[in-house]
Amino acid sequence: MGSSFKSEWGPAICMVLIELFTTGQLLLTKVVVDAGLMVFALLTYRFFLGAALVVPLALILEPALVGFTIPGFAYIGLGDTSPGYAVNFYNIIPIAAFILAVLFRKEPLDMRSLVGNIKVVGTLVCVGGTLVISLYKGKVLHLWPTNIIGYHPKQAGAAFGHHHVRGTILLITSSLSLAVWYTVQAQMLKVFPYKYWSTVATCFVGSIQTAVVGVAMNREKATWALKWNMSLLTIVYSAILNTAAKFVMISWVVTQRGPTYPAMFCAVTVFFTTILDSLLLGNDLSVGSVLGMFMILAGLYLFLWGKRKESVPPSEENPKEQMLFQSGDKNDKSVANV
């Protein structure tokens, strides 16, 4: 029963936790970037610490090394906009990952079957929910106290946030690159099935790349200095949960369910961020937000239902019918023997 629970519910639980980690990362990053922390300093320390955290697991469990990194454009775009706006671009990831997975034959799709159509409908409904949150506001709802932590961005952060077009372009680029990463991850894990060393290499290479870009942009020592403040908390949080744990968990989920499965859960981040952005940072919660969140949950349910139908063999789908069929065969054989 334990192994059955792990194989059926384990990937879903992992992905919900990952989207919770991502939500916290978005909110914390927005606060510290508005306070003046350079994005590439955050990314450099995050990837380096993330690599250090996974090395013990890799040394104990896996004897190999490989990896790559993803551009940190999302955090620059987040600094230029807001968590509620930035997270809406996660709607690009499921549809792009789904298309890439089908094109590269990592995701089965039979449009002549009911299951295939349900998966497509679920994907479109999920993406539609994020679009509703982004494009339709409606009446503002006052369901709870907002901005309960008293967040007020500093002038430096507000000035940095004026580059709205640049932030939008970077958010789109980051979302597309993440969709590609899910697809590449599926193939890489077949060739190199070492998720811990893969995570170590990804984080290590990422820290080098972001350090080079960051130093080229800003060489002041004060920019790279670490202090006991919110910036350090964000770095530690992102390294532990949103880098080390997230990369390892995604690698495992991809091996269990394929590249489209974790991408679909990106919509859950929209759900969490929309609520917490209003509760903690004071952004309005509207009718469009609530409607979009319900659409996201409905679309995700349809997609996961379709995936489950694909993964469960017909013999396990209707065990009662199978037993009746087998008992019928036995009766026929007994009659024949008589």
Side-chain angles (χ1 to χ4, degrees):
M1 182 176 179
S3 60
S4 176
F5 178 84
K6 179 181 177 181
S7 61
E8 184 169 353
W9 291 101
I13 293 172
C14 281
M15 290 312 307
V16 171
L17 288 174
I18 286 171
E19 303 316 322
L20 277 171
F21 301 159
T22 302
T23 299
Q25 173 71 31
L26 286 171
L27 298 175
L28 285 172
T29 301
K30 177 59 178 175
V31 172
V32 297
V33 167
D34 280 351
L37 177 66
M38 187 175 72
V39 169
F40 286 100
L42 166 63
L43 291 172
T44 299
Y45 291 130
R46 165 192 168 180
F47 286 129
F48 183 79
L49 182 56
L53 291 169
V54 184
V55 163
L57 291 174
L59 289 173
I60 295 171
L61 301 175
E62 297 175 348
L65 181 64
V66 75
F68 61 94
T69 189
I70 304 173
F73 292 152
Y75 298 110
I76 303 176
L78 176 63
D80 287 337
T81 56
S82 68
Y85 181 82
V87 77
N88 288 312
F89 289 88
Y90 273 53
N91 72 325
I92 298 174
I93 299 173
I95 192 70
F98 187 77
I99 293 172
L100 288 171
V102 171
L103 289 177
F104 288 98
R105 297 182 179 181
K106 303 298 179 185
E107 179 73 29
L109 179 63
D110 184 5
M111 293 301 296
R112 295 170 297 180
S113 68
L114 177 62
V115 171
N117 285 301
I118 286 176
K119 284 170 59 179
V120 173
V121 171
T123 303
L124 294 177
V125 171
C126 209
V127 172
T130 58
L131 288 174
V132 168
I133 293 177
S134 178
L135 302 177
Y136 173 67
K137 299 302 178 184
K139 183 180 178 181
V140 175
L141 302 175
H142 301 284
L143 302 180
W144 48 63
T146 59
N147 199 4
I148 60 177
I149 62 174
Y151 168 70
H152 298 288
K154 295 182 180 179
Q155 291 298 321
F160 185 61
H162 287 165
H163 302 286
H164 196 77
V165 175
R166 181 184 70 177
T168 300
I169 294 173
L170 293 176
L171 287 167
I172 293 173
T173 304
S174 175
S175 297
L176 289 174
S177 68
L178 188 57
V180 173
W181 182 74
Y182 282 127
T183 307
V184 173
Q185 187 82 345
Q187 182 61 33
M188 186 188 71
L189 289 171
K190 285 185 177 181
V191 179
F192 189 88
Y194 301 101
K195 57 181 177 295
Y196 299 112
W197 276 119
S198 175
T199 300
V200 171
T202 299
C203 295
F204 183 71
V205 174
S207 66
I208 295 175
Q209 291 182 348
T210 52
V212 170
V213 176
V215 170
M217 294 178 62
N218 193 329
R219 299 183 182 180
E220 296 181 7
K221 292 183 179 180
T223 304
W224 298 87
L226 295 177
K227 300 178 181 179
W228 291 98
N229 53 18
M230 183 66 74
S231 297
L232 181 60
L233 172 64
T234 303
I235 291 170
V236 173
Y237 174 94
S238 62
I240 296 174
L241 298 180
N242 210 51
T243 301
K246 176 180 177 179
F247 282 17
V248 170
M249 292 165 72
I250 285 179
S251 297
W252 179 74
V253 171
V254 168
T255 61
Q256 298 293 313
R257 293 289 188 270
T260 308
Y261 190 91
M264 285 299 300
F265 277 85
C266 290
V268 179
T269 300
V270 181
F271 179 85
F272 289 142
T273 305
T274 300
I275 295 175
L276 294 178
D277 192 27
S278 170
L279 191 64
L280 300 179
L281 302 187
N283 291 299
D284 293 331
L285 183 69
S286 64
V287 172
S289 299
V290 175
L291 177 61
M293 287 190 290
F294 277 111
M295 289 180 64
I296 288 169
L297 293 177
L300 183 61
Y301 175 81
L302 288 174
F303 180 84
L304 296 180
W305 184 87
K307 287 289 290 183
R308 183 181 182 280
K309 290 294 182 181
E310 281 183 342
S311 62
V312 176
S315 59
E316 295 182 15
E317 188 72 22
N318 297 305
K320 292 183 178 180
E321 293 180 6
Q322 185 72 12
M323 291 176 64
L324 290 173
F325 179 76
Q326 291 176 353
S327 63
D329 284 347
K330 291 180 180 179
N331 292 334
D332 292 341
K333 290 180 180 178
S334 62
V335 171
N337 290 331
V338 172

